[in-house]
Amino acid sequence: HNPSAVENPFYHLAPSWALYPLVAIATMATVIASQAVISGAFSLTMQAVQLGYSPRLNIEHTSQTERGQIYLPFVNKVLMVCCIGLVLGFRSSGNLAAAYGIAVTTAMTITTVLFFVVARYNWNWALWKALLVCGVFLFFDLSFCSANIAKISHGGWFPLIMAVFIFSLMTTWKWGRAILAKRLMAGTIPVRDFFENMKAHPPAPVPGTAVFMSGNTRGTPSALLHNLKHNHVLHEMVILVSVETAEIPHVQDSNRVSWEKLADGAYRLAIHYGFMEDPNVPKALQLVSLDGWTYDPLKTTFFLGRETLLSSRKTAMAGIREQLFVFMSRNARTATDFFSLPPNRVVELGMQVRL
């Protein structure tokens, strides 16, 4: 009866007197959706940091009781810039519809594929059962997704470009950290060999406890080697600490710390966190007693290795991605802040590493 109503079908669903109530409903829906996007971006970013797919970022906990109630200033600023850029670039909701359609239908398809992987390999579903359930959803998902392919040139390219950009950042960081770990591993010695050598040729002992943070669970931390090389001393109590992220949201305090004795006065600790938890090393140290030793913040010094990365075009990670990894490393959150270490008890020992 009124073909022109197709231009604004939502507000023509109700009589004219209901226009303002519909505006109110649409506004509330927009606020709810925006909060969902913000909360999701914060949670996913924190999980990416914990799983090693993102540099360390400043994470602020806004609740004393709720672990997942967090705020990431950097991510919030990025969202603000992107929203302003979308409004200025697309100018109207009609132009933005193409980008929205591509984003939603592609996300639906990816979700179904990921569900198949989880059902098949985590839940051990039979292949026919997983294919049957996911095939029904994929039939509709791919129908919607293919129908939106024509919208790529009309604005649908934007979510695809953003997805490729974020994916490149995450894989670059993961790949770069693996290469950096390989470079550092090449210059280390087995930790047990190190302490056997110290037993045969003991350096001058100094009182107190030295905690060396290390991501390598087998080799001797570079900070320990540098401290011994330059200061020619070894603390009475030496603890090597590595932080490991489990593939579960939270870890109970009873399973937080595992340890082994390396030598007299030397121990290796592994502190376990869920991917939704914020590491706090001093708090975790309070949970352990190592042959009578307990954590005393006034008698403990934390030693960190700080690597200065130098670009090298001779590696597999050459060109733009290498430069990107170096930039991300230099602007990452400091280990002192990330592990909640007391700043006045931290000593950083630097070294240069060529990728």
Side-chain angles (χ1 to χ4, degrees):
H1 298 287
N2 186 8
S4 61
V6 74
E7 296 179 0
N8 208 339
F10 177 74
Y11 291 109
H12 285 91
L13 289 173
S16 58
W17 58 265
L19 175 62
Y20 291 105
L22 285 180
V23 171
I25 292 175
T27 302
M28 289 188 291
T30 302
V31 172
I32 293 172
S34 66
Q35 292 303 307
V37 169
I38 294 171
S39 300
F42 289 170
S43 297
L44 289 174
T45 302
M46 185 179 74
Q47 293 171 27
V49 171
Q50 299 287 44
L51 294 174
Y53 283 94
S54 170
R56 295 185 293 263
L57 299 174
N58 181 29
I59 301 175
E60 299 180 6
H61 291 263
T62 59
S63 173
Q64 297 292 334
T65 58
E66 297 295 332
R67 289 182 175 180
Q69 192 166 314
I70 57 175
Y71 172 69
L72 281 75
F74 175 77
V75 176
N76 194 58
K77 292 177 182 177
V78 171
L79 289 175
M80 179 192 69
V81 172
C82 289
C83 288
I84 294 175
L86 282 174
V87 172
L88 296 178
F90 287 91
R91 298 181 179 275
S92 70
S93 58
N95 294 333
L96 192 60
Y100 180 81
I102 288 291
V104 171
T105 56
T106 305
M108 291 166 57
T109 304
I110 293 175
T111 301
T112 302
V113 173
L114 292 178
F115 177 81
F116 173 83
V117 174
V118 172
R120 184 75 178 92
Y121 299 103
N122 288 62
W123 300 344
N124 297 319
W125 282 19
L127 180 60
W128 67 268
K129 183 180 179 181
L131 288 174
L132 178 63
V133 174
C134 296
V136 174
F137 287 101
L138 276 178
F139 174 78
F140 295 100
D141 293 340
L142 293 176
S143 298
F144 286 122
C145 190
S146 59
N148 279 273
I149 292 179
K151 297 181 179 180
I152 293 179
S153 60
H154 300 284
W157 52 266
F158 179 78
L160 298 178
I161 292 296
M162 287 298 299
V164 171
F165 176 71
I166 295 175
F167 179 80
S168 299
L169 290 179
M170 296 175 66
T171 54
T172 296
W173 181 256
K174 188 74 172 181
W175 191 8
R177 293 300 299 180
I179 292 177
L180 178 59
K182 184 177 179 180
R183 295 287 186 273
L184 295 176
M185 187 66 181
T188 62
I189 60 176
V191 65
R192 292 193 178 275
D193 293 348
F194 171 81
F195 283 106
E196 286 294 332
N197 186 49
M198 291 301 99
K199 185 178 180 179
H201 307 282
V206 294
T209 300
V211 176
F212 293 89
M213 303 297 299
S214 174
N216 184 356
T217 58
R218 298 186 302 272
T220 305
S222 58
L224 175 55
L225 296 175
H226 279 61
N227 182 55
L228 183 63
K229 176 181 178 181
H230 296 288
N231 297 323
H232 308 288
V233 296
L234 198 65
H235 285 69
E236 294 177 344
M237 188 69 171
V238 176
I239 301 177
L240 311 183
V241 174
S242 60
V243 175
E244 300 178 359
T245 302
E247 295 185 2
I248 56 176
H250 306 286
V251 173
Q252 299 295 326
D253 283 345
S254 58
N255 301 322
R256 180 74 67 196
V257 182
S258 59
W259 60 275
E260 63 173 324
K261 187 174 182 178
L262 301 173
D264 291 337
Y267 298 83
R268 177 180 291 283
L269 269 65
I271 304 178
H272 307 276
Y273 291 97
F275 59 77
M276 293 188 67
E277 295 181 291
D278 201 10
N280 189 318
V281 172
K283 186 177 179 180
L285 291 177
Q286 296 174 358
L287 301 175
V288 298
S289 177
L290 305 174
D291 297 333
W293 174 91
T294 56
Y295 172 65
D296 185 349
L298 298 180
K299 297 180 180 180
T300 303
T301 304
F302 295 88
F303 288 84
L304 301 176
R306 188 176 184 88
E307 301 88 11
T308 299
L309 304 181
L310 302 178
S311 177
S312 174
R313 298 298 180 88
K314 297 180 180 181
T315 65
M317 192 179 176
I320 297 177
R321 297 192 71 186
E322 182 180 288
Q323 298 292 336
L324 179 61
F325 175 71
V326 172
F327 175 80
M328 294 169 68
S329 298
R330 292 175 179 173
N331 290 274
R333 184 184 178 189
T334 63
T336 300
D337 191 22
F338 182 76
F339 294 119
S340 300
L341 305 179
N344 59 340
R345 306 298 302 178
V346 172
V347 175
E348 291 188 351
L349 299 172
M351 62 181 297
Q352 290 187 344
V353 179
R354 186 172 295 278
L355 293 175

